[in-house]
Each structure stands twice: as C-alpha cells, then as structure tokens.
Amino acid sequence: MSGFKLKKRKQVATAFDVNVTPMLDLFSVLIIFLLATSVFSATGETRIEVPFLSSQPPPKQEELDKTPEKTVNITIDSKTVKYQQATTASSAIKDEIEVPLTEEGLDKIQAKIYDIRKENPKFDKVTVFTQAEVSYESLVMVLDTVRELKPGRAPIPFPADYKMPVGVDPSNLVTKVVLGNVIFAD
Amino acid sequence: MAGVDVGGKESFSLNLYPMLDVFSILIVFLLMNFSVSGESAEVSANLELPMSSIKVSLDSAASVAITKNEIVLQGGVVIPLTPNSQDVVEAYKKDGQGAIRKAYDEFKKLKAQNETLKNRQKNLGLSNSDVSTLVMQSDKTIPYRIIKRVLASAQQAEFISWKFAVQKRDVN
C-alpha cells in the first residue's frame, strides 16, 4: 500500500504509508531458508528387473495355452533395435520390425507397444536384450521408449485391480522392464 | 528514490514495493517446488549420466558407480577397468557366468547386512524399508558388457531389482 491522497470535498491530503521493511526482512529469511533446504532433483531413475534363477518348475504349457498372453522382446544392437512379439502359447514370432537406433525408429516401436496396451490394458512387461557393445546411453534411450510416452500419445490407465509396482509412474506405457541377457554373461 | 523536503531537511525514501513483489513471486515459486522428500541421491562426480524423459526422481539407495576408469561399489571398493572401458581387469572376473569376484563378495556382504536390518525392523515392529534395490550410476559411454557383469554379480548375490540413474530432461 503506497502513500496516496484521499480526495475529499476540501482537497485535504492524508497520506498512508505502511512500513514494509519488517515484511521484507521476513521474506528474505524465508527465501534463504527455502533455497537452502529445497531439493532440486535433476537425477531420475528407471526401474529394471533382472531375471532370477528359480528352482520352481516352469508353468505347464497346457496352462499357458488356456490363456495365452502377448510377450514383447526388444533386442538392442549398436545401430538397430529389433521388436519381436509372440505369445506365451507359442514361441513363434507373430510380429517383428527392425528399426535404426534413432528417435524416429524408436517411435515406431513405441507405437507397436502402445497398440498392445490399448488392446490389453493389463499388458505390463517388456523384456530387453542388449548386445555387449551397446552403450548405457543407447540402453536408456530404449528404456525411455518402452516407458515414457511420446507427445501425442495419451496415457492408457491400468485396470483398477492392477497392482502397480513401487516407484513406477502410473502414466508409464509399461511398468516392468526385464533385462533378459544378464545371466551367463560372457 | 524520492526526495521530500520536510522542514527544510531532505529525506530519502526508497520504494521497496517492486522488491516486495519480486520476493513474493519468488516465495510462491519456491513453496510450489519445495520438496522435503528426504535426501537426494548422490551422483558420482566422475561420470556423465545419459539424458532421459523419466519423471521419477532418484531415491537414495546402495549404489554402484561405473566411471570410464573404474567401478566403485557402495563400500568404497574399487574395481579397475581396462583402457577405453572395454572390460574389467581379468584378475577380477569370477569363473563362469561373467560375474566380478570382488563385486560379488561385496554384494553378498550387503545382502547379509540387509537381512540383519530387515530382521531388526521386524523385531521392532517397523515396516520394512526397501533395501533390496540397488542404484546403477553409469557413465553414458560405458558398454553393456561391463554393466552386465555388475548386474550378473549382484544377481548371483540375490539382488535382482535395480534403479538406473539418468539425467532428467525436465528438472522438477
């Protein structure tokens, strides 16, 4: 509130001036406190699972045949990325594309996974196989494609009974990414 | 700054309102972005993380840092890499399955510590904290060959859940 004049019939000048200095002091202290204690995190995380060797027998093929589910495997090479889709009922490849390891190429792979999610909102797992010479940067690029939706694609909500894994953004395209070729590394 | 003649003496009054406006906006911005969600995870200085559009912030956990020259484990154990970060030095490899002996031993120790911690938490009636997940901080140029060796070492010590650290494109 700055000093101002109140116009009355007889032009009597009355000035009000609020002392803002204490408020300014308080604001300064508050700003210093907030700047000192805030956490501006520029580091993110993407969750990965590694297959675990289990002594339990695998599920019987007859059971898998009853309710076949789509499986998606992605193989990363130093220059290309291969997308392969099969089902639990049969290991035969139903759909396959190979694209260059670029934003445009990866967009085509995301479109494929997006279509599967639209068809089956419970679909949540992609297995990634990475060749030895592929850099961490390229691997993260592919993981981004698998998880984070590109602009223009609306998130597909998971069903109400779906158990969301801890630490995963619910707007992700898939929630589980498994690194397939870890065991028996060369 | 306004000069006002009061009784023959000149006084100066500084207009603080623009400053107050700026401070108010700054406080609102800081309060909106204020986070007290615990400590942020420390990232090793000798590595450059790859950029990612991931929105989830990195939580602190036991971590493995892979720089261009070495692998640094949580306990400070260092495993050297061959020139050009092609592989770990031969002497550190474990027989078969591609694990790194020293890393495997360290992960085993960590697993035992975690089990003890879990049991204590259980005895005290506290909820179990997530100690079974490890953080991988790797330089963006590191080949998967090395990452895989670390993952295999941890996998054999029964760590199968990882958080891969990345540099967020959109900072929040």
Side-chain angles (χ1 to χ4, degrees), chain A residues 33 46 72 85 99 104 108 120 125 153 169 171 177:
Chain A
F33 169 76
T46 181
V72 169
Q85 187 256 304
V99 295
E104 293 77 30
K108 287 177 189 166
N120 176 17
K125 191 171 93 175
R153 291 199 179 103
D169 186 351
S171 68
V177 179

Short mmCIF file of all heavy atoms in Angstrom, two decimals, chain A residues 33 46 72 85 99 104 108 120 125 153 169 171 177:
data_model
loop_
_atom_site.label_atom_id
_atom_site.label_comp_id
_atom_site.label_asym_id
_atom_site.label_seq_id
_atom_site.Cartn_x
_atom_site.Cartn_y
_atom_site.Cartn_z
N PHE A 33 15.91 -19.64 3.57
CA PHE A 33 15.58 -20.94 4.15
C PHE A 33 15.12 -21.92 3.06
O PHE A 33 15.58 -23.05 2.98
CB PHE A 33 14.48 -20.78 5.21
CG PHE A 33 13.90 -22.09 5.66
CD1 PHE A 33 14.59 -22.93 6.54
CD2 PHE A 33 12.65 -22.50 5.19
CE1 PHE A 33 14.05 -24.14 6.93
CE2 PHE A 33 12.10 -23.72 5.60
CZ PHE A 33 12.81 -24.54 6.47
N THR A 46 15.07 -45.12 -13.55
CA THR A 46 14.18 -46.01 -14.26
C THR A 46 14.39 -47.42 -13.70
O THR A 46 15.52 -47.87 -13.57
CB THR A 46 14.39 -45.91 -15.79
OG1 THR A 46 13.49 -46.78 -16.43
CG2 THR A 46 15.81 -46.23 -16.21
N VAL A 72 6.58 -59.37 -25.45
CA VAL A 72 7.35 -58.47 -26.32
C VAL A 72 8.82 -58.53 -25.92
O VAL A 72 9.17 -58.35 -24.75
CB VAL A 72 6.82 -57.01 -26.21
CG1 VAL A 72 7.79 -56.05 -26.90
CG2 VAL A 72 5.45 -56.90 -26.83
N GLN A 85 7.26 -59.76 -31.27
CA GLN A 85 6.08 -60.05 -30.44
C GLN A 85 5.65 -61.49 -30.68
O GLN A 85 5.52 -61.94 -31.83
CB GLN A 85 4.96 -59.07 -30.78
CG GLN A 85 3.76 -59.16 -29.88
CD GLN A 85 2.60 -59.86 -30.56
OE1 GLN A 85 2.17 -59.46 -31.63
NE2 GLN A 85 2.09 -60.93 -29.94
N VAL A 99 14.34 -51.49 -36.56
CA VAL A 99 14.44 -50.05 -36.86
C VAL A 99 15.81 -49.53 -36.46
O VAL A 99 16.48 -50.14 -35.61
CB VAL A 99 13.34 -49.25 -36.10
CG1 VAL A 99 11.95 -49.62 -36.56
CG2 VAL A 99 13.48 -49.43 -34.60
N GLU A 104 13.22 -41.53 -34.32
CA GLU A 104 12.15 -41.89 -35.27
C GLU A 104 11.92 -43.40 -35.27
O GLU A 104 10.77 -43.86 -35.26
CB GLU A 104 12.50 -41.43 -36.69
CG GLU A 104 12.55 -39.93 -36.90
CD GLU A 104 13.82 -39.29 -36.34
OE1 GLU A 104 14.87 -39.96 -36.31
OE2 GLU A 104 13.75 -38.12 -35.91
N LYS A 108 8.47 -45.88 -33.73
CA LYS A 108 7.70 -46.95 -34.37
C LYS A 108 7.51 -48.12 -33.40
O LYS A 108 6.45 -48.75 -33.37
CB LYS A 108 8.43 -47.44 -35.63
CG LYS A 108 8.36 -46.46 -36.78
CD LYS A 108 9.14 -46.95 -37.97
CE LYS A 108 9.24 -45.84 -39.01
NZ LYS A 108 10.22 -46.11 -40.02
N ASN A 120 -4.97 -54.60 -24.68
CA ASN A 120 -4.98 -55.25 -23.37
C ASN A 120 -4.35 -54.33 -22.33
O ASN A 120 -3.12 -54.29 -22.18
CB ASN A 120 -4.21 -56.59 -23.45
CG ASN A 120 -4.12 -57.27 -22.10
OD1 ASN A 120 -4.85 -56.95 -21.17
ND2 ASN A 120 -3.20 -58.21 -21.99
N LYS A 125 4.68 -55.87 -19.31
CA LYS A 125 6.09 -56.29 -19.25
C LYS A 125 6.75 -56.38 -20.62
O LYS A 125 6.17 -56.91 -21.57
CB LYS A 125 6.18 -57.66 -18.58
CG LYS A 125 7.59 -58.06 -18.22
CD LYS A 125 7.63 -59.30 -17.37
CE LYS A 125 7.79 -60.53 -18.23
NZ LYS A 125 7.95 -61.76 -17.44
N ARG A 153 0.61 -39.12 -27.50
CA ARG A 153 0.01 -40.39 -27.09
C ARG A 153 -0.52 -40.24 -25.66
O ARG A 153 0.25 -39.97 -24.74
CB ARG A 153 1.04 -41.53 -27.15
CG ARG A 153 1.44 -41.88 -28.56
CD ARG A 153 2.08 -43.26 -28.66
NE ARG A 153 2.40 -43.50 -30.05
CZ ARG A 153 3.63 -43.42 -30.55
NH1 ARG A 153 4.65 -43.17 -29.77
NH2 ARG A 153 3.84 -43.63 -31.84
N ASP A 169 5.96 -44.69 -12.30
CA ASP A 169 4.99 -43.68 -12.68
C ASP A 169 3.78 -44.37 -13.33
O ASP A 169 3.95 -45.08 -14.32
CB ASP A 169 5.67 -42.72 -13.67
CG ASP A 169 4.82 -41.52 -14.04
OD1 ASP A 169 3.63 -41.52 -13.65
OD2 ASP A 169 5.33 -40.61 -14.69
N SER A 171 1.66 -43.39 -15.25
CA SER A 171 1.39 -42.99 -16.63
C SER A 171 2.34 -43.67 -17.62
O SER A 171 2.27 -43.45 -18.82
CB SER A 171 1.50 -41.48 -16.78
OG SER A 171 2.84 -41.08 -16.59
N VAL A 177 10.21 -53.68 -16.77
CA VAL A 177 11.19 -53.89 -17.84
C VAL A 177 12.23 -54.88 -17.30
O VAL A 177 12.83 -54.65 -16.25
CB VAL A 177 11.86 -52.57 -18.26
CG1 VAL A 177 12.88 -52.83 -19.35
CG2 VAL A 177 10.82 -51.57 -18.73
#
